[in-house]
Amino acid sequence: MSTSERPHPVAIITGAASGIGLALTTHLLAKNYKVFMADINPAGASIAASLPLPTPSAAPPTFVPTDIASFPAQLALFQHAYAYNGSIDFFAANAGIDDSEDVFAAEVEAAVETNGNGTLNGDTTGHLTVKAPNLKTLDVDLAAVVSGLKLFVAFARHSARADAARGRARRARNMVITASMVGLYPFETNPLYCAAKHGLIGLTRSVGPRFAKEGITVNAILPAFVPTGLAPPGLVEAVQEQGHLTPMSTVLLAYEAFLWGHRAGETVEVSLGELYWRKPVGYPNESQRWLNEDAAGVWGGAYEKARTEGAKKDEGANGG
């Protein structure tokens, strides 16, 4: 995508009020983007207003308070950004949180009944219960990204049709997902975060090649430890003392690799001063390769039939 095609290409960045999102906002402002900064941080508007503009003609960023776990809120964000000039050129699905649930602390919670004198009833099994887990981490770190993907693709397709109607050449529209290095490895400290980031890598690799045929690219960065708001007090300093802090400049290099629409379904691990292009694990045998690569028509045909039949049943149930 050439930034000269429009006065200001439009970017949406979630988690934009701090860390990677804020650094990326500054980076894109310097490239003449109009940036819509999304975050739940109540200080977001003042942070956006305080950012220096690189040139007098630069478009100031717009802060949009957004809880990305809410689909209506994300939809409103995309509508706001699209209204600027009828296009959304770049989307960084960056917002995330650490674990909302300690999966290692699972216990039966309810106190069992007693006989009134402090002794237990003989059979207390029916009175045991376990509190439902808090899945906010998966809602924000995984489900919200799926929602963002749907919105980005929908608006990108709409923009492409509008461009075609005006005789404009098709150009790539690019989405970059912030996954994590722990999407490749176990991470005992935050297993739900780890599970979500594994899911984002699978999502990226699964949808990237297909959407690329429409000029929509989806890729993911996998940062190592970068100083962000997720880190508890003292952690950044402890990691830095050991020499394992990845600078924000390396993260921005990863984004640069995806800004121009030449890659699709790629995942890049970002560690210290290097980018490592990570591929899926190899197949253990020919059967596994066939199931995943050559059987696309078999899988697709079966699921398409099931979805069609399911839609017909739904229409019948609704009186359609």
Side-chain angles (χ1 to χ4, degrees):
M1 180 195 69
S2 170
T3 56
S4 64
E5 291 179 14
R6 292 173 185 264
H8 298 291
V10 173
I12 295 175
I13 303 173
T14 64
S18 64
I20 291 174
L22 184 57
L24 180 60
T25 296
T26 302
H27 185 71
L28 292 186
L29 288 175
K31 291 182 171 295
N32 205 38
Y33 277 78
K34 168 65 179 180
V35 180
F36 287 82
M37 302 172 62
D39 210 298
I40 59 171
N41 188 340
S46 60
I47 291 171
S50 70
L51 293 177
L53 298 182
T55 65
S57 62
T62 297
F63 178 73
V64 183
T66 308
D67 176 4
I68 64 166
S70 162
F71 185 81
Q74 278 210 72
L75 173 59
L77 166 66
F78 273 78
Q79 290 169 331
H80 194 159
Y82 184 81
Y84 179 74
N85 70 9
S87 181
I88 297 171
D89 302 284
F90 181 77
F91 173 40
N94 169 71
I97 60 173
D98 53 13
D99 274 24
S100 55
E101 171 81 10
D102 183 357
V103 300
F104 299 108
E107 295 283 354
V108 170
E109 288 196 347
V112 297
E113 291 185 358
T114 69
N115 290 317
N117 58 3
T119 61
L120 297 177
N121 284 329
D123 180 12
T124 60
T125 304
H127 303 290
L128 303 182
T129 188
V130 177
K131 184 179 179 181
N134 182 344
L135 300 180
K136 182 71 171 179
T137 299
L138 300 181
D139 292 339
V140 172
D141 294 356
L142 181 57
V145 177
V146 176
S147 295
L149 171 66
K150 180 172 185 175
L151 288 164
F152 181 68
V153 170
F155 276 87
R157 285 171 170 165
H158 182 76
S159 296
R161 287 191 290 268
D163 284 348
R166 296 183 178 97
R168 294 174 178 163
R170 190 180 83 168
R171 66 185 187 279
R173 291 176 167 89
N174 310 309
M175 175 176 179
V176 178
I177 295 170
T178 302
S180 169
M181 61 163 279
V182 304
L184 297 171
Y185 315 109
F187 190 48
E188 183 178 308
T189 306
N190 285 274
L192 294 182
Y193 178 87
C194 180
K197 299 304 183 177
H198 272 75
L200 293 179
I201 291 173
L203 178 68
T204 300
R205 290 171 172 169
S206 297
V207 305
R210 181 163 171 175
F211 284 136
K213 297 174 183 177
E214 302 179 51
I216 300 169
T217 73
V218 182
N219 296 285
I221 64 169
L222 287 53
F225 190 86
V226 179
T228 72
L230 288 183
L235 183 58
V236 172
E237 293 77 10
V239 173
Q240 188 171 25
E241 285 178 5
Q242 297 298 318
H244 297 297
L245 200 67
T246 293
M248 199 65 74
S249 57
T250 314
V251 177
L252 295 177
L253 283 177
Y255 277 109
E256 274 294 315
F258 294 134
L259 273 178
W260 309 105
H262 302 315
R263 299 177 181 270
E266 298 270 8
T267 55
V268 60
E269 190 171 7
V270 183
S271 177
L272 301 178
E274 301 292 333
L275 303 182
Y276 300 92
W277 297 93
R278 305 291 277 175
K279 300 298 181 183
V281 296
Y283 299 114
N285 58 37
E286 175 60 18
S287 176
Q288 295 293 78
R289 188 205 63 77
W290 182 88
L291 284 168
N292 199 49
E293 294 184 6
D294 294 351
V298 177
W299 289 104
Y303 276 102
E304 183 63 29
K305 181 179 179 181
R307 288 167 182 152
T308 300
E309 291 177 352
K312 290 179 179 177
K313 289 180 181 178
D314 290 341
E315 289 179 3
N318 293 326

